[in-house]
Amino acid sequence: QLQASGGGLVQPGDSLRLSCVASGRLYSSSVLAWFRQAPGKEREFVAAARWSDARTYYADSVKGRFTISKDRAENTVYLQMNTLKPEDTAVYCCAKGSAYDTNFRAYNNWGQGTLVTVSS
């Protein structure tokens, strides 16, 4: 199971950090990812991190503003979001898969979403 938290209402330019705690075993091949879905839009890839090494991946739309990190002792992955924009407004979900992929269908474990609203 995955438990996401940290969403909220912020103003443009603000920062927010999302957390996703993974219960159960994480394997060396595991990948933890963040996806988001805005109203009326398809779910889109945001960022991913391999559990076993330092490789991380980002969508072009968040590169340079968002940072994914992990705490292996706490089985937690974080998404630090800086310089937030109104277009970042979405429900953010964390997911676990066995390989890196930007397609949400490749992930078989999902947490509930946490809403991020960026508005002045």
Side-chain angles (χ1 to χ4, degrees):
Q1 275 188 321
L2 302 170
Q3 183 78 26
S5 62
L9 172 63
V10 297
Q11 294 187 339
D14 284 354
S15 297
L16 207 57
R17 189 177 80 159
L18 306 183
S19 301
C20 176
V21 180
S23 59
R25 189 167 180 180
L26 288 167
Y27 298 92
S28 58
S29 60
S30 294
V31 173
L32 292 182
W34 288 96
F35 286 80
R36 67 186 181 186
Q37 188 165 19
K41 294 188 176 181
E42 283 199 350
R43 194 177 311 183
E44 66 171 347
F45 170 77
V46 176
R50 293 186 182 273
W51 194 246
S52 62
D53 58 42
R55 281 178 285 181
T56 57
Y57 309 89
Y58 296 94
D60 288 343
S61 58
V62 306
K63 206 171 290 185
R65 299 188 298 122
F66 291 11
T67 303
I68 189 170
S69 61
K70 58 184 185 281
D71 183 333
R72 296 184 66 174
E74 298 295 328
N75 264 26
T76 300
V77 64
Y78 301 99
L79 185 68
Q80 177 68 41
M81 306 185 294
N82 297 330
T83 320
L84 282 160
K85 304 176 181 179
E87 50 263 44
D88 294 319
T89 295
V91 174
Y92 285 70
C93 297
C94 56
K96 182 175 70 173
S98 56
Y100 165 63
D101 202 306
T102 60
N103 189 328
F104 69 88
R105 296 175 182 85
Y107 295 81
N108 51 12
N109 281 285
W110 290 84
Q112 91 294 351
T114 185
L115 177 62
V116 173
T117 304
V118 185
S119 175
S120 54

